[in-house]
Every structure is written in structure tokens, then in C-alpha cells.
Amino acid sequence: MGLFKSYRRLFLINLFLFFVSYLYGQEYFFKHYVVEDGLSHNTVFCSIQDEKGFMWFGTQDGLNRFDGYEFKIYRLSNTLASNTTGNVVKCIYEYENQLLIGTNSGLFMFNKETEKFKSIFINNKPVKQITVDRKNIIWFNSGTKLFYIDKTLNGYQPVPSMAPPIIAIDKDVDNVLWYASKKSIFKQGTNKIDTTAYTLPKDLQHLALTNISLALDGKILFSTNNSSLFIYDLSKGSTTPLIDNDQGLDLIRDIKVYDNKDIWIASESGLFIYNLESKKLVHLQKDHSDKFSISDNAVYSITIDNEGGAWLGTYFGGISYLTKPYTPFRRYFPMSGKNSISGNAVSAIIEGPNETMWIATEDAGLNKFEFAKERFSKYDLSHLSSKNEKLHKNVHSLLIKGDTLF
């Protein structure tokens, strides 16, 4: 494997593993963005990436734009001076180079050039989802009603549809509108005549639909009020359960599909990733001993960006960002109560025999890493520094000659 270059004052170690046998599965390392980083609020309900690459986040206290370096905050307070609940942004949709913003008070349009908000529909009820169909008609749900915007009626005029009380909307790969009531899922038809595409079968009639996703062509992903996720195949007419609350799933908030094979589920009990090919399930939760875990278990939204990175909006922990997965890097850092490297300040790395690596740190002494077992061992050098009890922790360089480590 050769001699590794020495590094000083690294916060963590990134080791490229040249042997495929060492890659035991995808590692998930999240970067966190919170109020201290410029975010307006640590409760993040939604996010999108616009056509220019900017990330937009809806929070408990306004709209945030992120350019990769810093946040810029936009609040609706000036538009709704007498109603501060308007600052709660529940959903965002890019439309004709502007942003449609759903708040606790209604629907707004945000002009990205003038950076001004325009009220479209105020009813003091949350707008939970927004989409645009193949005819370029804007649809949104507020309360239990479905609305569409007919631009021929005094500019932007919301019109209640004839749909039953609904709980979720989405569009398929052909930009056809779908919406769900508690027991059925409907598909937008021609001439405003919609069809019932799916009704919960008898063995599921005791449940109620809570969310839908049409991201997979020819299939409907839907969640129910018992914290379960199902997939319905439109061509086969079959319903298959994927995940339920026995696997730890609790209150599904968002459903996204990554690369047509991984289903990402945001829930009150963390992030779930279900692989359609292997049928394997990954459950990611906050780990207080792991600074790179997701920042909060209450995950409300998922956005996959143009580079394949994932942005998670959480209720208490701001934003958790995961770079594009399946990169052959592993990270090792101190973790309380777990087998891990002992220090943060790595000063030297050298290869040892039998697929081992010796690691010197300036703050916690000497470590050995065994690749086959993925295990760290810490070596006590205190007997070498009788005059200065801290000297043994500060190891600057390493050399192996024969069977001896210097």
C-alpha cells in the first residue's frame, strides 16, 4: 500500500481504501448547517434547488437562500405586517424563474430579481404542497381543499376544485397531477374529469393515506397513518408493503427516489433508505457520540441536488447535508464510548505489517488500525514521559525498521 504522507492538525482522517474488500458498505457523513452558520431558524420544513443552483430553505422564520458559502434570509413580515405566522414557510416550488411559497397563512410569489413577495392567496391556513401540471397550471392544497390557479381570472386567481378532501398532491414523470384523499388516489384526466387510480384494498381499509409519491414511473409510493410505506404497481394492480413501524418507522414526512433504486423516507424517527434491488433498509439516526450523524431524528424534508447530494430539513437540528454517496472514502474520528481513533490532531501515518496502520497524534498518543477487523488500538506511552505527563500524548513522527517502531 506504500507509505502515506504525514498530515498535521487534521480534524479527522480521510483514508482512501484501495482494497474493495475493506468497503463494508456506504458510509454516511453529514455536514450540519444551523443558526450559528447563518440559517434563520433550526426548524426547516422544506427545500429546493433552483435552476441557477441556489438552495432555498423554508423555515419557522422565513425563506433562506444558500449559495454554498452563506445564507441570505427573506422574511414575509413586511408583506404580512399583522400576521407573523406568515414567516413560517411550509413548501417551495420554482415557477417561471420565481418561487411559489406556501406559508401558514397562504400562498405567495417571490420574485428572485426584485427579492419581493407578492400575496396570491390568503386564507390563514397552511399551504402544504405545490406543483405545476403539464398544462402549466399551478395546484396547491390548503387545509383539506385542492386549489388551482387560473391566470386568466384577474391575474392569479385560486379556484377550488371539485376534488374530495385531500391530504397530498404530486405529479408523475409526465407532469400529470395526482392527488390523494384518505382512502383513494386520483389521476388528473382530460377536460377536468379525473379518474380514481387506486383505492385502499379491503385489508388496508382500516388505514388512511398520509402521503404519495409518483417519482417511480408506473408506480405509486404511499404512506399510511400507521407509519407504513407501500408501493402500488399500476400495470400489475398489486400493492406491496415496503417498510412498517415494526422497523422503527414513525410518521412519514417526505418521500424521495434517488437514482430510481433507492427510496429515501424522512420521518420523525430519522432517515430511512430502502433499496429496491437488494430490499435492504438503512436507518440513520442522530448519534450524540458521532459528530457526522444526522443532526436531529425529526426529518421533515429531503432534496436531492444536481450533483447527487442530499439536503435534509429537520425540526430541531437545522440542515443535514450529505455529499453524493458511494464514494470510496471512510472517515475515522474520536467517538465517546466506541472503538475509534483516540485523537483529533494527526501528525503521522505509516503502514505496518499484516495490513495495519500506525497513527501518531499530538493530543492522544499512538494508535494502531487493523484493516481486517476495522479496529483501533490505543497504546499507553506514559512510562516514557515521567517528567511531563502530557509529553507522551504528543507524538510527532513514526519510523518502522524491521520489527521495531520508532
Side-chain angles (χ1 to χ4, degrees):
M1 195 179 293
L3 188 66
F4 278 76
K5 182 181 179 181
S6 295
Y7 294 89
R8 296 179 61 84
R9 294 294 177 188
L10 291 180
F11 181 69
L12 50 84
I13 307 171
N14 285 284
L15 294 180
F16 184 86
L17 303 182
F18 292 95
F19 298 102
V20 176
S21 61
Y22 293 150
L23 298 178
Y24 290 102
Q26 171 60 28
E27 295 288 318
Y28 298 90
F29 299 102
F30 291 91
K31 178 177 176 58
H32 305 149
Y33 296 96
V34 292
V35 169
E36 288 78 6
D37 301 302
L39 189 66
S40 65
H41 201 284
N42 282 340
T43 297
V44 180
F45 293 112
C46 58
S47 61
I48 67 162
Q49 184 177 37
D50 69 15
E51 61 182 12
K52 294 182 178 180
F54 290 109
M55 292 298 303
W56 296 84
F57 300 93
T59 76
Q60 186 78 19
D61 185 27
L63 178 68
N64 291 241
R65 189 192 73 182
F66 185 57
D67 62 5
Y69 298 95
E70 58 184 4
F71 290 91
K72 188 170 184 179
I73 301 168
Y74 305 92
R75 292 184 173 89
L76 293 95
S77 305
N78 295 335
T79 305
L80 285 176
S82 62
N83 192 346
T84 57
T85 61
N87 282 327
V88 180
V89 178
K90 306 291 285 188
C91 56
I92 312 168
Y93 193 97
E94 187 173 21
Y95 178 74
E96 297 182 348
N97 200 35
Q98 300 187 74
L99 298 180
L100 291 163
I101 308 294
T103 76
N104 268 3
S105 301
L107 182 67
F108 295 81
M109 184 78 79
F110 178 74
N111 189 310
K112 292 190 287 182
E113 298 298 326
T114 64
E115 299 185 341
K116 300 292 184 183
F117 291 95
K118 175 184 177 182
S119 62
I120 303 299
F121 177 66
I122 305 298
N123 67 341
N124 293 319
K125 293 181 180 180
V127 172
K128 295 176 287 186
Q129 292 171 304
I130 307 168
T131 194
V132 177
D133 69 14
R134 57 188 171 181
K135 298 179 181 178
N136 206 34
I137 295 175
I138 300 168
W139 296 83
F140 65 95
N141 58 338
S142 181
T144 60
K145 293 183 179 180
L146 177 65
F147 296 85
Y148 67 91
I149 292 180
D150 187 344
K151 292 192 291 185
T152 63
L153 300 175
N154 299 320
Y156 292 95
Q157 181 64 44
V159 178
S161 75
M162 298 303 293
I166 67 161
I167 49 88
I169 63 175
D170 197 13
K171 63 180 179 182
D172 61 23
V173 294
D174 297 316
N175 291 324
V176 175
L177 175 74
W178 296 67
Y179 55 92
S181 65
K182 289 185 177 182
K183 300 294 182 182
S184 299
I185 300 173
F186 303 87
K187 179 181 180 181
Q188 180 186 40
T190 58
N191 300 321
K192 297 182 181 180
I193 300 175
D194 299 339
T195 58
T196 303
Y198 177 80
T199 299
L200 288 174
K202 289 183 179 180
D203 59 332
L204 298 180
Q205 275 292 315
H206 63 289
L207 302 176
L209 295 163
T210 57
N211 210 341
I212 60 171
S213 170
L214 278 297
L216 288 172
D217 191 16
K219 297 178 176 62
I220 305 174
L221 291 165
F222 66 89
S223 59
T224 55
N225 61 342
N226 70 334
S227 299
S228 297
L229 182 70
F230 298 84
I231 186 168
Y232 176 70
D233 191 310
L234 290 165
S235 61
K236 297 179 181 179
S238 59
T239 301
T240 304
L242 298 181
I243 315 171
D244 58 34
N245 53 8
D246 290 337
Q247 294 163 288
L249 191 59
D250 182 25
L251 195 56
I252 295 173
R253 297 290 187 179
D254 196 10
I255 306 167
K256 290 292 192 299
V257 176
Y258 186 98
D259 202 24
N260 282 323
K261 62 181 181 181
D262 287 328
I263 302 172
W264 291 50
I265 305 105
S267 80
E268 286 287 339
S269 54
L271 175 69
F272 291 77
I273 302 175
Y274 180 84
N275 186 277
L276 289 166
E277 296 174 354
S278 67
K279 312 300 182 186
K280 291 183 178 179
L281 179 68
V282 174
H283 183 194
L284 303 177
Q285 289 188 300
K286 180 178 176 62
D287 182 346
H288 292 281
S289 68
D290 183 353
K291 65 186 75 176
F292 297 104
S293 68
I294 61 173
S295 56
D296 181 36
N297 284 337
V299 183
Y300 272 58
S301 64
I302 305 168
T303 293
I304 309 298
D305 65 27
N306 297 333
E307 296 180 346
W311 301 81
L312 310 182
T314 72
Y315 195 81
F316 293 108
I319 301 161
S320 290
Y321 169 65
L322 178 69
T323 57
K324 185 178 180 179
Y326 313 114
T327 53
F329 284 90
R330 304 291 292 273
R331 298 186 185 189
Y332 301 96
F333 48 91
M335 299 175 67
S336 177
K338 296 184 179 181
N339 182 263
S340 64
I341 189 171
S342 61
N344 287 308
V346 177
S347 56
I349 306 173
I350 191 170
E351 182 187 5
N354 302 319
E355 297 182 351
T356 60
M357 194 72 66
W358 291 90
I359 304 158
T361 74
E362 296 184 7
D363 60 339
L366 182 66
N367 293 256
K368 182 178 74 172
F369 181 72
E370 300 172 79
F371 282 97
K373 298 179 180 179
E374 287 211 13
R375 183 177 67 188
F376 284 93
S377 299
K378 180 183 177 181
Y379 289 83
D380 185 4
L381 305 179
S382 58
H383 63 285
L384 301 177
S385 56
S386 57
K387 294 182 180 180
N388 189 334
E389 63 178 3
K390 294 184 179 180
L391 184 61
H392 68 277
K393 296 182 179 180
N394 192 347
V395 181
H396 282 267
S397 59
L398 299 171
L399 173 66
I400 293 179
K401 191 172 183 178
D403 295 330
T404 305
L405 175 67
F406 294 89

